Amino acid sequence: MAILVLNAGSSSLRFALFDEELDQVYKGHIDAIGQKHCHFRRSFKDGPEETVPTKIKNHEEALSYGLGRLQDDGIVKNLKEIKKVAHRVVHGGEAFKKPTRINFLVLKKLAGLNALAPLHNPSNLSTLKACLKKIPSAKHFAVFDTAFHHSLPAKAFLYGLPYALYKKEGIRRYGFHGTSHAGAAEAASKHLKKKSPSLITCHIGNGVSLCAIKNGKSIDTSMGFTPLEGPMMGTRSGSIDPAIIFHLQKKQKPEAVHHLLEHESGFKGLSGIGSDIRSLWAKPKAPGTLRTFEVFSYQVAKLIGSYFIPLGGLPDAIVFTAGIGENAFYLRRQICDYLKPFGLELDEAANKKNAVCISKTKSSIKVLVLPSQEEKFMAQLIKSSGGK
């Protein structure tokens, strides 16, 4: 039985195919959909990654191209070999708390959630609908970024707004990157050989979120009603004083301000260099790089420290995952330097090598670097869902 996992971003489509034993046999990534520099990256099991330029206008075309590559590259002879499909859906609102089999009613409810994640859910949904037509024989499931955070207590998810806004309009903290945080927690538990360790997981990629995990459950997280809240990110501002928005709207239209906060801020805006952390590291002494790294590392370290409260003390481990979290040793070092007063001691050599454990033996908190395996975790979730 083959399991296909689809992860549609606002301008990208990632997909991976797993066999019955959940071994990944193929991985593809179509990036910059609708742009001149659109390209496709693929890798076979245990093979190197290859990149080819391509021209793809939208997510429907991306899906057709990706499924075509699965057949052209000899991974499957017929799409009917794919028995289950897991679709990443960013926002599940309050209605969806676990992987859910797709039917007409579910599709209708998902469409109603587009307003909560306008940059992500529409592309998630269009890819899902296209896949239902391409592989009608498979069982399709939606796996929600927000689902892992449904264990948040009210004191963590409510905002200081009129309570009626929560009851009538669902305005609350939802949290995101749930599959990444849940997968990182599971991997950390195995590494620590402890059933339910106390953890702070740090998903640091183009999007950034932190999560406090106790007894295997999310009890606090940094992203909120939308993925804009929390530390600054590649192009997102992260948390700011809301009054700044009203100030900016005196001279700019609301749509322009929203675009600025989502696409022109964060690493890109503060550095004046770019949103890709590698472009900043290429200029380590540039004022923009120094400024951005200092602000970002301080924001993340401050959040980590704040999570000692809900966890009831120091965590067993801090986990770094996702592209930047797994590779940017210089940022991990800068973040961990702020935590020295709490007895955290970093092993500099291990950190530079991106080792699994990068803290010293005598450190009061273990620091782990674990690869993000969102696709595999999603496949695992729907495999265990059976036919439900």
Side-chain angles (χ1 to χ4, degrees), residues 213-274:
I213 300 172
K214 191 172 185 178
N215 297 322
K217 295 182 178 181
S218 170
I219 58 172
D220 208 344
T221 190
S222 59
M223 283 182 167
F225 179 63
T226 75
L228 188 58
E229 191 178 357
M232 70 174 180
M233 310 172 207
T235 62
R236 296 176 184 143
S237 66
S239 299
I240 61 170
D241 181 345
I244 294 171
I245 298 171
F246 307 134
H247 176 77
L248 293 174
Q249 286 181 352
K250 292 177 181 178
K251 295 183 179 180
Q252 301 181 50
K253 293 181 178 180
E255 296 80 8
V257 175
H258 190 189
H259 180 83
L260 181 147
L261 297 178
E262 292 277 6
H263 300 288
E264 302 297 332
S265 301
F267 299 160
K268 180 180 180 181
L270 193 60
S271 72
I273 297 172

Side-chain angles (χ1 to χ4, degrees), residues 184-213:
E186 184 177 274
S189 179
K190 290 178 181 177
H191 178 82
L192 297 170
K193 297 179 180 178
K194 190 171 183 178
K195 187 176 181 181
S196 297
S198 172
L199 302 168
I200 298 173
T201 50
C202 306
H203 176 108
I204 306 178
N206 190 51
V208 179
S209 69
L210 277 66
C211 184
I213 300 172

Side-chain angles (χ1 to χ4, degrees), residues 11 78 107 113 127 129 132 134 137 153 167 169 180 195 197 199 255 314 360 364 374 384:
S11 62
N78 192 300
L107 285 174
L113 295 171
T127 304
K129 287 180 177 178
L132 284 170
K134 292 285 185 180
S137 60
K167 296 301 289 183
E169 299 185 34
S180 177
K195 187 176 181 181
L199 302 168
E255 296 80 8
L314 300 182
K360 292 183 178 179
S364 62
E374 289 181 84
S384 61

Side-chain angles (χ1 to χ4, degrees), residues 117-181:
L119 297 179
H120 299 86
N121 268 38
S123 56
N124 298 158
L125 193 55
S126 63
T127 304
L128 193 161
K129 287 180 177 178
C131 194
L132 284 170
K133 294 178 181 178
K134 292 285 185 180
I135 320 176
S137 60
K139 295 174 182 177
H140 294 256
F141 295 81
V143 180
F144 301 93
D145 264 18
T146 50
F148 182 60
H149 303 298
H150 272 284
S151 52
L152 292 178
K155 63 184 178 183
F157 74 65
L158 286 174
Y159 290 112
L161 294 169
Y163 190 62
L165 288 175
Y166 162 60
K167 296 301 289 183
K168 294 180 180 179
E169 299 185 34
I171 296 178
R172 52 159 286 179
R173 178 182 307 282
Y174 287 99
F176 300 89
H177 294 143
T179 53
S180 177
H181 289 296

